[in-house]
Amino acid sequence: EAGVVQSPRYKIIEKKQPVAFWCNPISGHNTLYWYLQNLGQGPELLIRYENEEAVDDSQLPKDRFSAERLKGVDSTLKIQPAELGDSAVYLCASSASGTGNTGELFFGEGSRLTVL
Amino acid sequence: DAKTTQPNSMESNEEEPVHLPCNHSTISGTDYIHWYRQLPSQGPEYVIHGLTSNVNNRMASLAIAEDRKSSTLILHRATLRDAAVYYCILRDYGGNQFYFGTGTSLTVIP
């Protein structure tokens, strides 16, 4: 079974440019997460989807970040315009709802963004 | 909103047992204790989870204090491949909220 797939793995852009990240979760997983991870820090939740609905986006900087999950499967995370401080790894994860006391998260390898 | 406290770093000799502690004094009755680890340049991966009783799986053991305010992840024989950052996370039963702290960076010495 394929895991969580993210692209691109690496992206280098100049500040003020837009950038987008794509995530394909594990088939059948209703819950999708986007996390941001700065160097030496743990992942920080940006947004969580239950199917198509964003149920927790309180940490998403909405002035420049946007996300969507059309049809409740793939998701994209966009930054426009990018700032130097956005340089980080963007992680996507998914889990199956209704797993009761399991709730295991499956992560992709991440997309590393460098803003120059 | 991590709710857990872990040492920043630990060292272990190869093939020795490793005990990674986690404090979660504000844990509620419905919070599960999850452990994930993150190898270099990879996303975190699930290790183990539990509610009240100690748990064992092929990767590790989880020892939970009787009052549930702390727990310990036990790697029975550390290998070089176990060098990673280990995260202790609380998850509300039925909820899908996972908040990571800064974790413990484990160094395994050959």
Side-chain angles (χ1 to χ4, degrees), chain B residues 3-23:
Chain B
K3 307 181 196 177
T4 63
T5 304
Q6 300 176 253
N8 289 331
S9 62
M10 292 184 65
E11 286 186 351
S12 173
N13 294 319
E14 194 176 10
E15 299 189 4
E16 295 286 322
V18 183
H19 291 234
L20 297 165
C22 180
N23 287 319

Side-chain angles (χ1 to χ4, degrees), chain B residues 62-74:
Chain B
L62 176 60
I64 302 173
E66 194 169 337
D67 64 4
R68 302 212 321 127
K69 294 185 176 182
S70 65
S71 61
T72 303
L73 180 70
I74 302 166

Side-chain angles (χ1 to χ4, degrees), chain A residues 9 31 33 35 37 41-43 45 48 50 56 91 95 99-105 107-109, chain B residues 32 34 36 38 41-46 49 87 91 93-103:
Chain A
R9 282 279 282 141
T31 309
Y33 307 75
Y35 284 88
Q37 186 170 29
Q41 302 295 314
L45 180 68
R48 173 169 61 96
E50 298 290 347
D56 185 355
L91 292 162
S95 68
T99 50
N101 59 3
T102 304
E104 181 178 348
L105 280 182
F107 280 85
E109 292 185 299
Chain B
Y32 277 79
H34 284 244
Y36 281 73
Q38 187 171 22
S41 300
Q42 294 187 26
E45 63 176 352
Y46 170 83
H49 79 280
Y87 297 98
R91 171 182 169 259
Y93 177 76
N96 289 322
Q97 296 172 308
F98 291 81
Y99 293 98
F100 290 74
T102 54

Side-chain angles (χ1 to χ4, degrees), chain A residues 4 6 13 26 28-29 41 56-57 63 100:
Chain A
V4 176
Q6 292 187 245
I13 61 172
I26 291 174
H29 280 192
Q41 302 295 314
D56 185 355
D57 63 354
D63 57 335

